[in-house]
Every structure is written in structure tokens, then in C-alpha cells.
Amino acid sequence: MRVLYGTAMAQAVQASIGDSEFDRDTALTPRTPGVYDAELSAGWTIMRAVNGGYLLALLGRALGDALPHPDPFTVSAHYLSASRPGPAVIRTEAVRSGGSLSTGQASLFQYDKDGTEVERIRLLATYGDLDKLPAEVRTPAAPPPFPPYEKCLGASDGPRPPIPGGSEILDRLNIRLDPATAGWAVGAPSGKGEMRGWFSLADGRDADPLSLLLTVDALPPTAFELGIKGWTPTVELTVHIRRRPAPGPLRVALTTRNAAGGFLEEDAEVWDSENRLVAQSRQLAKMPAGR
Amino acid sequence: MRVLYGTAMAQAVQASIGDSEFDRDTALTPRTPGVYDAELSAGWTIMRAVNGGYLLALLGRALGDALPHPDPFTVSAHYLSASRPGPAVIRTEAVRSGGSLSTGQASLFQYDKDGTEVERIRLLATYGDLDKLPAEVRTPAAPPPFPPYEKCLGASDGPRPPIPGGSEILDRLNIRLDPATAGWAVGAPSGKGEMRGWFSLADGRDADPLSLLLTVDALPPTAFELGIKGWTPTVELTVHIRRRPAPGPLRVALTTRNAAGGFLEEDAEVWDSENRLVAQSRQLAKMPAGR
């Protein structure tokens, strides 16, 4: 039997939950109870900023370890200062533990020149066990129309769109955009606050509740289709994980309805291969002055 | 000149911001810097529970005092245990102060039999100055259709609907429901997760950012139109205040799209008399077992 090494082998074997790039880059080293060291990877940056959903996944992993319940149900994060690749520490606090839900608080800090901790994000989250949800479906939301995967546009369909400051994160994601929301990539933004695409991790790892925290913030922002040039930093982001995702690619739909007064909200919905709503979020983001 | 006293006079004079029932019942007594005593009024209960939006307004008032910026922009609250009428204490912490935004944390506690503080709610909030928002409106959301005020159904249109556990709060609110979302009140819920109505405070006080925190949680819940009997307690509630509301009645639209797995989300949008989106929120609520 010939043993294959190298790129061909790596491409042939899909990563599984636990040994994927995503898991390596969100790994934590316990320091003391409730305190975890982390390394923010430069691989998850866009426009020079560490992706907010990647940061949420790191914090989510910490609280999943610190709290009695394993899965994030609702996570509400306030982004205080911009994170950058490099060392970080996460400090958690158990706030309340109940029978089916527990609530915790977590902060991510980095270090300034003299080693002082600077808080980047503070969040509250309520955790439960997604495997213990009642099976009943009273009124399920239905996904919006998406073109089939083959008709959507991905990395192989054209040059990397010119995103100022780079887009390292795109190497780790397999995103295929609905052509109706890809005009920005060829200099023709639609003017509508919409972004839709198929989503999976580039190394094939299946989705799970932690990767859903990344997923709601991983698509190009609706700001691109609104013709907004420049970074729209996230002020606050609340995510609800509604169901454990089935294996297979996800569909993500972003919507912005109210861009006014210097802020916009961006709503995300994530649908799995069984057409179920697995995650939903809203973030409030600040628009650049003078757009 | 005859001086009029009593009910006729009280009805003739609208309350103004500051001396309304809402302001009296959300008043705080500073104890030490950042710590405020409060009294949770029985006047703002429904189904024996102290209304979540009223609690948010109390916490919002505390942070408005404690932080350098006056107005809530985004408030994310996790509800830990059920509040009841009676004494409470709010403890705040300034987390980060910036040029245009500052972030704080606040908790509301009540007292158990031996005086130990029991945490009811913990929240994070980012504050700013709504009067300093840029005037530009890039892509404004538009309100959904509402029947005119006179065609909507209020307290004078029929007996108080039978809400188990009472509905004290309704005495303090002037809500007129879209008839299309009022079937529950006559035992004929539509089965659709929608609730719409005109909203103002019963004593005529104009809306402001603090009363908007109440408003997003003040209408009958979509659960009533979904035919769900029994309390759907709020697990988490995030509110964004987008604009200082103009004077006059508000329109509130609630939507639930995904009631599944024992939870539902309820989205609220609040529109002012200038047709502007002044507040939006999402809450995650737990459905009663077996509905």
C-alpha cells in the first residue's frame, strides 16, 4: 500500500471537529480556574481587523468549559477596542446556574506595551444543552430563496476582490455568494443592504455551535453592497444558537434595513442542510464618517 | 378664577418627561457612587411578573447617570431570576469610556428572606449622545402598514382581555391593537407570530430613549396570537435605540418567525410620528413545556 503524503493527502482528508484549523486557532490553554490563555491568529483577519465572529468563538469555547452547560444559546458581546493578532487572555465568571440554563460573563484582554491588560470584548452568555431541546417545531422560519451552490460565486470564479487591508480569513472559508449580492466585487454594488451565500470552513470541518458564532460574522458585510467603503466596526453583536446544525454546507443571509445616523444594523440568519434556522444574530455597526 | 382639582384636572394635564408615572416608578436613589436603590412598582406587572422592559428602563436610568454619555445606544440584558414588586438595588460599573461611546455593566438585585442580594438581571450597554448623531440617512427602514389609530382596538373597545395573573401594566399604557393581531383577546388567535399596535403612556408623557426600553417589551406578546397559553419568560433581550423619538404616539410591530425547540424569538420595531425607526430589539423567550 502506498502511503500518500503532502498536499494531495491533506486535501483528500476533511478536517473533523476537533482537529480543524478553526479548532487549532480557537484553542485555549487553561491558566487558573475560569482563566484561559489564547493566541489570536492572523489567519482570521479582514481589513486588518481580527474577525469579530472568530473572537466570539474563542470566548464561547472558554465559557463552554467554565459553565455547567455545554452549548451557547444566546451570546451578547460589546466590542470595546480593536483586537490584533497575538496573545490574549480570557477571564470568565459564572453568574447563575440553573437546571436547564446557566449564564456567564467573559472578557477578552490583550496586552499593551508594558504588559497591562486592555479589555477588547466583554460579553454575557446563557448556555444550555442543545441535545435536550424539545423536538417540537411550532412555527419554523423558512429560508429565503438561494441559487443552487453551483450557480453561486466563489474563489475559483474570479480574482480575489480588492478588499483594502487584506482578507486572510477568506483562505479559511469556503464562501460562494449569491450573484445578486456580489456586485460589490466587480465595482457595481447593488445599493441594497443584502448579502447571501453558501458557507463552510475551507478544510471541510462540519459546523457546530462554536463555528456558528464565527459564521454569523464571516460573510462580506452588507456595507459592501451599500457602497460603503471603509471599515464598519461592530459595536455590539447578539447571537442566538437555535439548533445543533446538521452536517453539510450552510446558507447565510445578511440584511441591513436601517443605515442612518451613522450606524447600521446587520441581521444574519444561518440555515442548515435540513432547512432549519440554526443561528440568528444582529450586530450594530458604526458607519465611517462621510461614508 | 376657579381652581380645578381632582380627576378632571389630572386628565386635562398631560404628564411631561420627568413628572410622569413612568418617571416616578423608575426613579432611583443614589446610595454610593454607581450604586442606586430602587423600588419595583407593582403597577408595571403582567401575569404576576414585573415587566422586563420596565426593568430595563430602571437599569438604563442608572447607567445614564453613571456613564459619561447620556443615551442608551445598545442594551443587552440576561434575565436570571424573576423580579417581584419591592425594593431593589442596582450596581453599575463603567467598563470603557471613549470619545463618542462608552460601555457599562449593570446588575439589578433584590433581597431574599435574610437580606442576601439575589441577582435578577445583568446587562451590558453602550451609551452615546443621540443628539450628536450625523443627520444623514443612507437607507432608512420603512414602517409596515398599520391601520389608522381610530381603527385600532383599545381599552374602550371591549372588556379587559382575560390575562391570567392580571395585567396591572395595561392601566399605565395606551395601547391600540391592529385588529388583525387582536384575535387572541376574543379567544381566536390567528396562529401567526405577529402583534402590532399604537403605543403611548397613559398619562400622555412623550417617548424618550428610556421609555423606549419599556416600549419594546410592552405590547401583548406574539405568543398570545400563536395560541400559547402561559408565560414565556424572557431569557435575553437586546435593544438598539436608533434615534431620539419625535413627540406623539409610536407604532410598535412585533414578529416571531421561529418558535421551535422550546424557544421563540420576538423582534420589536418602534416607529415614531415621523415614520422613523427609533428602536429595534430581539428577545429570546422560553416557551412553556407542552406549550
Side-chain angles (χ1 to χ4, degrees):
Chain A
M1 182 175 79
R2 287 181 69 192
V3 179
L4 298 166
Y5 291 99
T7 316
M9 183 67 162
Q11 285 173 348
V13 177
Q14 287 205 120
S16 55
I17 291 174
D19 76 2
S20 151
E21 193 156 28
F22 170 79
D23 298 296
R24 287 196 302 274
D25 290 342
T26 58
L28 304 171
T29 306
R31 189 198 284 187
T32 54
V35 182
Y36 307 84
D37 287 291
E39 182 75 23
L40 305 192
S41 161
W44 299 85
T45 56
I46 185 158
M47 301 178 79
R48 294 192 201 91
V50 180
N51 175 263
Y54 163 69
L55 296 169
L56 220 56
L58 272 154
L59 285 148
R61 191 182 289 289
L63 275 176
D65 184 76
L67 292 177
H69 294 91
D71 303 312
F73 275 31
T74 168
V75 181
S76 338
H78 287 246
Y79 290 75
L80 310 170
S81 56
S83 296
R84 40 175 195 265
V89 61
I90 293 175
R91 297 180 177 281
T92 68
E93 174 194 350
V95 176
R96 176 181 180 268
S97 299
S100 59
L101 298 174
S102 48
T103 299
Q105 177 172 324
S107 291
L108 186 146
F109 299 85
Q110 289 192 294
Y111 305 97
D112 71 9
K113 291 189 197 51
D114 56 24
T116 309
E117 289 184 9
V118 180
E119 195 167 2
R120 299 298 193 207
I121 299 166
R122 186 179 293 201
L123 64 78
L124 295 172
T126 294
Y127 274 55
D129 187 337
L130 286 169
D131 292 339
K132 294 201 173 137
L133 294 183
E136 48 84 20
V137 176
R138 194 184 179 87
T139 301
F146 270 80
Y149 185 88
E150 311 72 42
K151 292 217 153 70
C152 289
L153 304 173
S156 52
D157 290 298
R160 175 70 56 89
I163 295 172
S167 52
E168 296 297 315
I169 194 176
L170 295 183
D171 293 334
R172 285 151 187 80
L173 307 177
N174 180 10
I175 294 174
R176 296 182 68 90
L177 292 178
D178 181 340
T181 66
W184 61 272
V186 291
S190 68
K192 295 202 295 185
E194 298 181 2
M195 188 68 62
R196 284 183 297 277
W198 293 82
F199 178 96
S200 53
L201 292 169
D203 64 5
R205 177 200 193 272
D206 279 323
D208 73 345
L210 281 184
S211 74
L212 287 177
L213 296 179
L214 161 73
T215 304
V216 297
D217 193 47
L219 251 62
T222 54
F224 284 4
E225 279 287 86
L226 287 170
I228 294 169
K229 303 186 189 315
W231 191 37
T232 50
T234 303
V235 174
E236 192 275 350
L237 168 56
T238 296
V239 189
H240 300 298
I241 306 298
R242 301 300 302 269
R243 186 176 170 87
R244 186 176 304 288
L250 304 170
R251 278 159 289 165
V252 184
L254 308 183
T255 311
T256 293
R257 293 178 43 241
N258 196 67
F263 291 85
L264 60 81
E265 89 289 340
E266 188 184 85
D267 288 2
E269 295 188 329
V270 184
W271 308 87
D272 73 1
S273 57
E274 293 177 3
N275 282 330
R276 297 296 302 278
L277 179 67
V278 294
Q280 54 190 150
S281 70
R282 174 172 292 150
Q283 63 173 279
L284 188 74
K286 199 168 194 298
M287 291 196 285
R291 290 167 232 148
Chain B
M1 183 174 78
R2 286 182 68 195
V3 179
L4 297 167
Y5 292 98
T7 318
M9 181 66 163
Q11 285 171 349
V13 177
Q14 288 206 120
S16 55
I17 291 174
D19 77 1
S20 152
E21 192 156 28
F22 170 80
D23 298 296
R24 288 196 302 275
D25 289 344
T26 57
L28 304 171
T29 306
R31 188 197 285 187
T32 55
V35 182
Y36 307 83
D37 288 291
E39 181 75 25
L40 304 192
S41 160
W44 300 86
T45 56
I46 185 156
M47 302 178 79
R48 291 192 203 91
V50 181
N51 175 263
Y54 163 69
L55 295 169
L56 219 56
L58 272 154
L59 285 148
R61 191 182 289 288
L63 275 175
D65 184 75
L67 293 177
H69 294 91
D71 303 311
F73 275 30
T74 168
V75 181
S76 339
H78 287 245
Y79 290 75
L80 310 170
S81 57
S83 296
R84 39 174 195 265
V89 60
I90 293 174
R91 298 180 176 282
T92 68
E93 173 195 349
V95 176
R96 176 179 180 269
S97 300
S100 60
L101 298 174
S102 48
T103 298
Q105 177 172 325
S107 292
L108 186 146
F109 299 85
Q110 289 191 292
Y111 305 97
D112 72 8
K113 290 189 197 56
D114 55 26
T116 309
E117 289 184 12
V118 180
E119 195 166 4
R120 299 298 194 208
I121 299 165
R122 186 176 295 200
L123 65 78
L124 296 172
T126 295
Y127 274 56
D129 188 337
L130 287 170
D131 292 339
K132 292 200 174 136
L133 294 183
E136 48 85 18
V137 177
R138 193 183 179 88
T139 301
F146 269 79
Y149 184 90
E150 310 73 43
K151 293 215 152 72
C152 290
L153 304 174
S156 51
D157 291 298
R160 175 70 56 88
I163 295 172
S167 52
E168 296 296 316
I169 193 177
L170 295 183
D171 293 334
R172 287 152 185 79
L173 308 177
N174 179 11
I175 296 174
R176 296 181 70 88
L177 293 178
D178 180 339
T181 67
W184 61 272
V186 291
S190 68
K192 296 203 296 185
E194 298 181 2
M195 188 67 62
R196 284 182 297 279
W198 293 82
F199 177 95
S200 53
L201 293 168
D203 65 2
R205 176 200 194 273
D206 279 322
D208 74 346
L210 281 184
S211 74
L212 288 177
L213 297 178
L214 161 73
T215 304
V216 297
D217 192 48
L219 251 61
T222 54
F224 285 4
E225 280 288 85
L226 288 170
I228 294 169
K229 304 187 187 313
W231 191 36
T232 50
T234 304
V235 174
E236 192 275 349
L237 168 56
T238 296
V239 189
H240 300 298
I241 306 297
R242 304 298 305 267
R243 184 176 171 87
R244 187 177 303 288
L250 303 170
R251 278 158 291 165
V252 184
L254 308 183
T255 310
T256 293
R257 293 177 43 240
N258 197 66
F263 290 85
L264 60 81
E265 89 289 342
E266 190 185 84
D267 288 3
E269 294 188 330
V270 185
W271 308 87
D272 73 1
S273 56
E274 293 177 3
N275 282 329
R276 297 297 303 278
L277 179 67
V278 294
Q280 54 190 152
S281 70
R282 172 172 294 151
Q283 63 172 280
L284 188 74
K286 199 167 196 297
M287 291 196 284
R291 291 168 231 145

